Amino acid sequence: MRTARPRTGHLSQLGARRQRAERSHARPAHAGAARRLDGGRRLLLARIVAALALLGAWLPASAAHAAGTVIIADRSPKEENGRWKLKMTINYGGAPHLAHIPMLFAFTPTVHYERALTDQSPEKPILNKIPLQNQQGINESMDVGFSDGSGKIFAVTKFDFILRRDRGFEAGEYDLVIKRASDGVQMGQKQKITLQGDNEIIDRRAIVFSGEKKKKDDKADKADAEKSDEPAKEEEGEPASDAADAEPSSAELPPDEAPPPVEPKQGGCGCRLAPDEAAAPFALPLVALGAAVALARRRRGRRD
């Protein structure tokens, strides 16, 4: 008897070979994918570790950069008698080791409030907010107390800071930074404050008419003229009799003081004289005689 044999033809053999080849090719593909997956996981893990290291380094730096808190009650105080008052509540972050801590208050101007007269507004000043950059700050050192009268030290204190114009402050906007003078550690965050007030007026008009000075000058000239006219009026108001007594005329002089008569010249020069010049020698004796008579009458009047 013939035993049955499995039919393994040519096609079945080819199929078996293909399956073996696919299996042999599939194994390296799966291995490469596993390797790539492991590499991605390792890279992600390395990135996470680096981020945690940076975060751990940043946290101590930020803690050392700013300590405590500072709260300002009014960040836009108004000017009173040339000064501004800032009311602060400072939290040291814990009880300080000293009752009074030296601190540095740094004010950096950022915006200046200018009041100016312009051609569009020549009478009423307008407000110009001028931005400022790279300005030198105004530093003020103060000792902040954290204790009471009994000497007990507290972590929180209330502090009033006074800003004055004679210290260089003007109306405008400032950035305030508070630091400990001992180690330079910043107290709280940087804060923006606005000082409200009226700065000095600046004249920015193209043409300035100054009529008031001319009026003042005219008044001064009139006053000087009146002063210069007063002596002249006093001289004019004096009686004429005093002037006559002080300086007697030639008609009132005695005969002895009268000028002697001029004798006529002998002969002639061949020229002809005018009628007035010819009558002058004969008029001089008459003038002298009239003066003598007037003087005699005056003396009689005084005797009577």
Side-chain angles (χ1 to χ4, degrees), residues 76-287:
S76 300
K78 296 182 180 180
E79 182 180 6
E80 296 180 0
N81 299 325
R83 63 179 186 175
W84 297 267
K85 180 183 290 186
L86 296 178
K87 297 182 179 180
M88 306 179 182
T89 301
I90 301 177
N91 187 346
Y92 196 79
H97 60 288
L98 295 175
H100 294 82
I101 303 299
M103 294 187 181
L104 181 66
F105 297 80
F107 296 86
T108 303
T110 57
V111 179
H112 177 67
Y113 289 176
E114 179 189 75
R115 299 173 64 220
L117 295 175
T118 60
D119 294 337
Q120 292 77 15
S121 179
E123 300 296 336
K124 184 179 180 180
I126 61 175
L127 179 62
N128 297 325
K129 296 183 178 181
I130 303 176
L132 304 176
Q133 295 180 356
N134 302 326
Q135 297 294 315
Q136 185 176 3
I138 303 175
N139 299 328
E140 296 287 343
S141 299
M142 297 292 291
D143 292 340
V144 181
F146 287 87
S147 63
D148 56 4
S150 62
K152 186 177 180 181
I153 298 177
F154 300 91
V156 181
T157 184
K158 292 186 177 181
F159 182 74
D160 294 345
F161 194 89
I162 304 299
L163 308 179
R164 301 178 183 273
R165 282 189 178 269
D166 55 4
R167 300 290 295 178
F169 291 96
E170 294 182 343
E173 299 177 7
Y174 296 81
D175 286 339
L176 172 60
V177 176
I178 305 174
K179 296 181 179 181
R180 291 192 305 221
S182 59
D183 52 6
V185 175
Q186 180 175 330
M187 298 297 299
Q189 302 297 326
K190 179 173 66 175
Q191 303 189 42
K192 181 179 180 180
I193 63 173
T194 302
L195 303 182
Q196 300 183 11
D198 296 334
N199 291 329
E200 184 178 356
I201 298 176
I202 299 176
D203 195 346
R204 297 191 179 279
R205 293 176 292 179
I207 301 176
V208 179
F209 298 96
S210 56
E212 296 181 358
K213 294 183 178 179
K214 293 183 178 180
K215 293 180 180 179
K216 293 181 180 180
D217 296 340
D218 295 341
K219 293 180 180 180
D221 295 339
K222 290 181 180 179
D224 296 338
E226 291 177 357
K227 291 181 180 179
S228 60
D229 292 342
E230 288 179 359
K233 291 180 180 179
E234 292 178 357
E235 293 178 358
E236 293 176 357
E238 293 179 355
S241 60
D242 296 340
D245 296 339
E247 297 180 0
S249 60
S250 60
E252 296 179 356
L253 294 175
D256 297 337
E257 298 180 2
V262 180
E263 297 179 357
K265 294 182 179 181
Q266 300 293 333
C269 60
C271 57
R272 189 175 181 179
L273 298 176
D276 296 339
E277 294 178 354
F282 298 100
L284 290 175
L286 296 176
V287 172

